[in-house]
Amino acid sequence: MPFPKSIPTNQLPTLDQSTADSLDFGIVKVDDNGNVLLYNKWESDMAGVPVAATAGKNFFTEIAPCTNNRLFFGRFKDGVAAGSLDAEFNYTFTYKMKPTNVVVRLLRDGSSANWVFVAKRSV
């Protein structure tokens, strides 16, 4: 099963902030425009961006502008346009932090919500 293994896809529509904060990887829920609907504590700690500062902001341009490129945001836009998003890839975050190697999964669930999952990876 692709990353993240600890959350069944059918449970994503009911994932709340408390549960998301208890997990050991980054979780960001965004609308079709990339505006943040949920941002968990792990992601906040890794990125140095307070959870409270993310609500309603665009993940790709305001929260993590290092993702505003063809590799990351381009995949997201293509998946949203197609109504089907499930892509996993290696990436390096560079905004507000030293370069951090991660594995990312972009996913659209059955309720048409979009998810960005992030976990650190070994180099």
Side-chain angles (χ1 to χ4, degrees), residues 12-35:
L12 287 173
T14 60
L15 184 70
D16 61 17
Q17 186 72 46
S18 177
T19 303
D21 286 344
S22 72
L23 298 169
D24 63 351
F25 55 89
I27 301 174
V28 183
K29 180 180 180 180
V30 296
D31 65 17
D32 286 351
N33 296 312
N35 298 316

Side-chain angles (χ1 to χ4, degrees), residues 15-89:
L15 184 70
D16 61 17
Q17 186 72 46
S18 177
T19 303
D21 286 344
S22 72
L23 298 169
D24 63 351
F25 55 89
I27 301 174
V28 183
K29 180 180 180 180
V30 296
D31 65 17
D32 286 351
N33 296 312
N35 298 316
V36 175
L37 304 171
L38 182 144
Y39 192 87
N40 81 331
K41 182 178 180 337
W42 189 97
E43 186 70 20
S44 171
D45 291 346
M46 185 194 69
V49 178
V51 171
T54 65
K57 299 236 174 111
N58 188 282
F59 177 76
F60 302 100
T61 60
E62 298 175 277
I63 304 302
C66 65
T67 65
N68 190 13
N69 56 48
R70 180 75 191 126
L71 177 66
F72 203 123
F73 187 43
R75 284 182 180 170
F76 173 81
K77 288 191 305 186
D78 291 348
V80 168
S84 175
L85 176 62
D86 193 353
E88 187 172 321
F89 55 97

